[in-house]
Amino acid sequence: SQTIHQWPATLVQPVGSPLSLECTVEGTSNPNLYWYRQAAGRGLQLLFYSVGIGQISSEVPQNLSASRPQDRQFILSSKKLLLSDSGFYLCACATGLDTEAFFGQGTRLTVV
Amino acid sequence: EDQVTQSPEALRLQEGESSSLNCSYTVSGLRGLFWYRQDPGKGPEFLFTLYSAGEEKEKERLKATLTKKESFLHITAPKPEDSATYLCAVPGISGSARQLTFGSGTQLTVLP
């Protein structure tokens, strides 16, 4: 079964600073990869998804970008963080488009 | 657009007091329904997949069932360690993405 490694677990960054969150997957090849953001007490909002190396789709306009340089590596980035970027970021992996997704442990980002 | 609604938003039970959580959905062609458990500060943990009306899945004190319009997560004789937020999700199309659409979750607290 898949294992999703996500780091760091917590991060406090000043407004205007850059961001890089990394996610790596073990136990599967050519997975679909996702970045979600979860606001307190709310459901998960899809930010980016990728079906292959270099293939990134974005669902919401935002201050963030994503990249997939390797099959099992997914990176979430920002050049300049905003206060509104604070949240709980989750990386997820699925073997198909309609299959269950498995999640990493998340990164709690606080922009100050 | 696909929609998932969970109720209640929060539920407090005494240890041993059985109850059910509800997940109602609106999708154009159900291709599965997934249940997750999420502990505070952690990523969602996959519990069950249900594919067709009438299907049931069990794991310890949890049993998930599916009808054509909703799913229930039955918790029998819960223990304090069952306290968590339970999320349901359906695969579908939202915007341009084939993605999981999540409900906002039910926060379950089991009191000793």
Side-chain angles (χ1 to χ4, degrees):
Chain A
S1 63
Q2 304 96 324
T3 302
I4 298 94
H5 300 283
Q6 191 179 341
W7 67 91
T10 60
L11 190 59
V12 180
Q13 292 284 98
V15 169
S17 64
L19 173 73
S20 180
L21 301 182
E22 187 165 342
C23 169
T24 59
V25 178
E26 293 180 354
T28 187
S29 296
N30 196 30
N32 294 329
L33 297 176
Y34 306 87
W35 279 110
Y36 284 88
R37 180 167 58 201
Q38 186 176 34
R42 301 183 67 178
L44 281 70
Q45 179 189 34
L46 180 67
L47 301 176
F48 300 95
Y49 70 100
S50 171
V51 298
I53 296 174
Q55 300 178 61
I56 308 295
S57 297
S58 174
E59 278 307 288
V60 289
Q62 57 201 307
N63 184 41
L64 303 169
S65 62
S67 62
R68 185 172 177 174
Q70 300 181 44
D71 181 45
R72 289 173 287 179
Q73 184 185 27
F74 205 24
I75 298 171
L76 184 69
S77 304
S78 174
K79 293 182 179 178
K80 290 184 178 181
L81 284 169
L82 306 173
L83 288 174
S84 57
D85 292 324
S86 294
F88 191 49
Y89 290 84
L90 290 157
C91 177
C93 161
T95 57
L97 291 175
D98 293 330
T99 62
E100 63 271 12
F102 295 90
F103 287 82
Q105 288 303 290
T107 295
R108 172 72 60 190
L109 173 65
T110 304
V111 182
V112 296
Chain B
E1 188 161 299
D2 299 338
Q3 288 189 337
V4 178
T5 303
Q6 291 188 246
S7 61
E9 290 185 8
L11 181 63
R12 291 167 67 91
L13 300 173
Q14 290 295 133
E15 184 172 3
E17 180 186 0
S18 301
S19 187
S20 296
L21 314 181
N22 178 265
C23 171
S24 62
Y25 58 87
T26 304
V27 296
S28 54
L30 183 68
R31 288 181 288 274
L33 185 141
F34 311 123
W35 280 99
Y36 291 83
R37 169 193 170 123
Q38 186 174 23
D39 293 304
K42 303 292 186 181
E45 173 190 353
F46 171 72
L47 293 174
F48 303 112
T49 300
L50 302 167
Y51 283 112
S52 57
E55 188 175 0
E56 299 183 352
K57 293 278 181 70
E58 288 190 63
K59 180 179 180 180
E60 296 181 353
R61 294 175 292 281
L62 301 177
K63 183 170 77 173
T65 62
L66 183 66
T67 73
K68 290 185 178 180
K69 292 294 183 184
E70 57 192 347
S71 177
F72 293 93
L73 185 65
H74 308 277
I75 303 176
T76 302
K79 298 182 178 181
E81 53 262 42
D82 295 322
S83 297
T85 296
Y86 291 86
L87 300 166
C88 67
V90 295
I93 298 175
S94 180
S96 61
R98 295 280 295 277
Q99 63 166 295
L100 292 182
T101 299
F102 282 84
S104 296
T106 294
Q107 184 175 1
L108 174 67
T109 303
V110 182
L111 303 172

